[in-house]
């Protein structure tokens, strides 16, 4: 397997403007993603769209787990190298994301032009997934190794800010001023990220004739010592179990008699606040105590969240009605915050493993494997819940997540501190 001769320039990540760039990029990509997966679904359902159509709309999210297929192209070719290899991609993709959202605002009622809206949504998902490849590559190359822990906290934390804006704030604007106002507001938020992109000056990449092509370029990262056990063992188990537990929250609370509006507020906004704090805490904890300790803490928080949820989702638990709401809210917050802490440790290791010369392809492959594990976990949990009930499925998801942490703990990079 050929090795990369490109190296990450030292010290870029010490620039405050670079940290602002990362916050902006990761926030805006999740603004649209959260809107399409949560806000748009609620708006369309409120207008009478059938569940089958809404289910098909969710399939657009599959673009993200498979973006590793074109990530090597982003590493090898750029539309304007004189402006910076990955920055030139952002100068194209960020405006395309804005234009896709503005095109949605052309229609007064999304119900009347649903087919065109789905096409525009698919385009946005493709643009945002590709933007994520470039953003991940900038993180790998722009952050010193000692900054990977804090960088992972920014990556994860910014996603929750975007989730609150796209999944929660957009619905509030829609209720007050309608469809066009909501979409234009999201477009303006996405366009704001162009300011740090334009100000960023990306160092030139060193030329190399050893860049792997084809399957070697796409999967070469797995040849890095310890990468296979990490990427194909521990990480998929953690994401499988965590996604399994989280997928149960909404349907279980619906069956417990909670209103859809309140469930949406809890899952999209209330739970996002402690999750954001957990991301920032996780990055600092990785740096001071090590990633293994961070994963254990995250698993513990997730288990406590699961314990709080158990009486709410388990029939015949005998919990008083007045206790169900606080237990459900605390449980949802704990499950999401625990996964966030674990995810911060996982992302920090992913930053370490990614090779600077294949920064986009390597980090994207690692994150895509995790996403695929989460997608399968969410499906498996709901299937098991239908067969054996929410309680059994909850225990199953928590057990798989803990097993993943145990496997991950054996990886040498988890013991590292900055």
């Amino acid at each position: 397997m050929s090795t990369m001769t490109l190296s990450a320039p030292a010290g870029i990540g010490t620039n405050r403007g670079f940290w602002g760039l990362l916050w902006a990029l990761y926030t805006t990509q999740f603004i649209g993603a959260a809107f399409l997966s949560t806000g748009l679904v609620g708006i369309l359902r409120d207008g009478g769209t059938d569940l089958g159509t809404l289910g098909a709309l969710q399939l657009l999210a599959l673009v993200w787990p498979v973006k590793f297929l074109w990530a090597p192209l982003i590493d090898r070719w750029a539309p304007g190298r004189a402006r910076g290899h990955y920055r030139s991609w952002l100068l194209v993709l960020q405006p395309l994301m804005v234009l896709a959202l503005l095109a949605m605002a052309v229609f007064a009622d999304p119900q009347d032009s649903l087919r065109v809206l789905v096409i525009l949504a698919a385009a946005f998902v493709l643009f945002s997934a590709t933007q994520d490849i470039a953003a991940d590559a900038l993180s790998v190359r722009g952050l010193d190794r000692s900054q990977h822990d804090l960088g992972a906290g920014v990556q994860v934390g910014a996603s929750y800010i975007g989730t609150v804006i796209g999944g929660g704030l957009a619905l509030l604007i829609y209720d007050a001023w309608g469809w066009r106002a909501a979409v234009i507001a999201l477009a303006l938020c996405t366009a704001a990220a162009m300011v740090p992109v334009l100000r960023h000056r990306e160092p030139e990449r060193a030329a190399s004739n050893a860049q792997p092509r084809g399957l070697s370029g796409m999967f070469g990262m797995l040849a890095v010592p310890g990468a296979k056990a990490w990427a194909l063992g521990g990480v998929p188990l953690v994401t499988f179990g965590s996604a399994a537990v989280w997928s149960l929250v909404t349907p279980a609370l619906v069956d417990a008699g909670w209103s859809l509006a309140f469930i949406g507020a809890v899952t999209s906004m209330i739970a996002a606040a402690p999750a954001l704090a957990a991301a920032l805490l996780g990055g600092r904890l990785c740096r001071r105590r090590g990633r293994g300790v961070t994963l254990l803490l995250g698993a513990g928080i997730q288990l406590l969240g699961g314990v709080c949820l158990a009486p709410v989702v388990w029939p015949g638990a005998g919990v008083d009605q007045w206790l169900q709401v606080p237990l459900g809210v605390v449980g949802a917050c704990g499950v999401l915050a625990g996964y966030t802490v674990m995810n911060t440790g996982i992302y920090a290791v992913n930053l370490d493993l990614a090779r600077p010369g294949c920064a986009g392809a390597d980090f994207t492959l690692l994150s895509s494997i995790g996403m695929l594990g989460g997608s399968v976990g969410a499906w498996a949990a709901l299937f098991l819940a239908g067969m054996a009930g929410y309680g059994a499925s909850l225990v199953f998801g928590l057990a798989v997540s803990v097993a993943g942490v145990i496997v991950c703990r054996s990886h040498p990079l988890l013991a590292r501190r900055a």
Side-chain angles (χ1 to χ4, degrees):
M1 182 67 62
S2 56
T3 58
M4 303 303 302
T5 61
L6 300 180
S7 59
I12 301 174
T14 59
N15 187 314
R16 289 185 179 181
F18 185 76
W19 288 105
L21 173 67
L22 296 186
W23 276 106
L25 293 177
Y26 287 104
T27 297
T28 54
Q29 66 186 225
F30 277 91
I31 285 177
F35 176 66
L36 295 177
S37 64
T38 304
L40 181 59
V41 169
I43 291 171
L44 292 176
R45 183 58 179 166
D46 183 64
T49 301
D50 64 272
L51 293 176
T53 301
L54 296 181
L57 187 62
Q58 295 298 308
L59 293 177
L60 295 178
L62 292 176
V63 171
W64 276 70
V66 300
K67 65 182 186 290
F68 70 90
L69 294 173
W70 61 91
L73 172 64
I74 306 302
D75 282 331
R76 298 195 61 85
W77 181 82
R81 291 176 184 268
R83 299 174 179 177
H85 183 93
Y86 296 108
R87 177 177 176 269
S88 64
W89 276 110
L90 296 174
L91 289 172
V92 173
L93 293 166
Q94 202 72 27
L96 286 175
M97 291 164 62
V98 175
L99 290 175
L101 290 171
L102 290 176
M104 296 182 190
V106 171
F107 309 106
D109 187 348
Q111 303 287 339
D112 295 337
S113 305
L114 191 55
R115 290 185 179 179
V116 178
L117 190 65
V118 170
I119 293 174
L120 292 173
F124 180 90
V125 171
L126 178 62
F127 298 148
S128 63
T130 309
Q131 184 257 38
D132 183 57
I133 298 172
D136 289 340
L138 282 179
S139 298
V140 173
R141 300 193 70 249
L143 294 173
D144 291 334
R145 198 172 183 86
S146 63
Q147 297 169 320
H148 285 176
D149 297 323
L150 296 180
V154 170
Q155 288 177 317
V156 179
S159 68
Y160 290 111
I161 297 178
T163 297
V164 170
I165 296 173
L169 181 62
L171 286 179
L172 294 178
I173 296 176
Y174 172 78
D175 285 338
W177 294 290
W179 166 257
R180 282 177 172 163
V183 178
I184 290 174
L186 296 181
L188 291 175
C189 290
T190 304
M194 284 301 299
V195 175
V197 171
L198 290 171
R199 295 179 63 181
H200 178 60
R201 292 296 177 263
E202 181 184 350
E204 293 185 5
R205 301 199 316 171
S208 173
N209 295 322
Q211 293 183 358
R213 298 174 179 271
L215 293 179
S216 297
M218 190 178 298
F219 301 106
M221 182 276 306
L222 295 178
V224 175
K228 286 183 180 178
W230 173 260
L232 304 179
V235 171
L237 287 174
V238 171
T239 56
F240 181 105
S242 297
V245 175
W246 183 247
S247 71
L248 300 174
V249 172
T250 295
L253 295 182
V254 168
D255 291 351
W258 292 32
S259 71
L260 288 176
F262 188 58
I263 293 173
V266 170
T267 56
S268 296
M269 301 184 71
I270 296 176
L276 172 59
L280 300 178
L281 171 65
R284 296 186 180 277
L285 191 63
C286 284
R287 195 171 189 178
R288 295 180 181 179
R289 300 294 182 183
R291 290 139 181 197
V293 172
T294 302
L295 256 73
L296 284 178
L297 176 62
I301 295 173
Q302 188 176 78
L303 280 173
L304 288 176
V307 169
C308 291
L309 278 176
V312 180
V313 305
W314 220 305
V319 177
D320 292 336
Q321 188 69 30
W322 66 273
L323 268 178
Q324 284 198 4
V325 172
L327 282 175
V329 172
V330 172
C333 290
V335 167
L336 190 58
Y339 176 54
T340 300
V341 173
M342 290 189 288
N343 214 23
T344 303
I346 289 172
Y347 270 46
V349 175
N350 289 352
L351 285 168
D352 282 356
L353 288 173
R355 301 162 297 170
C358 296
D362 286 1
F363 195 95
T364 297
L365 177 62
L366 290 167
S367 60
S368 294
I369 292 172
M371 289 178 187
L372 287 171
S375 298
V376 176
W379 167 81
L382 292 174
F383 178 80
L384 180 60
M387 299 291 292
Y390 289 121
S393 189
L394 177 66
V395 171
F396 169 72
L398 291 172
V400 173
S401 182
V402 170
V405 170
I406 294 173
V407 174
C408 285
R409 284 266 299 170
S410 64
H411 199 282
L413 285 175
L414 277 179
R416 179 190 156 276
R417 297 185 202 175

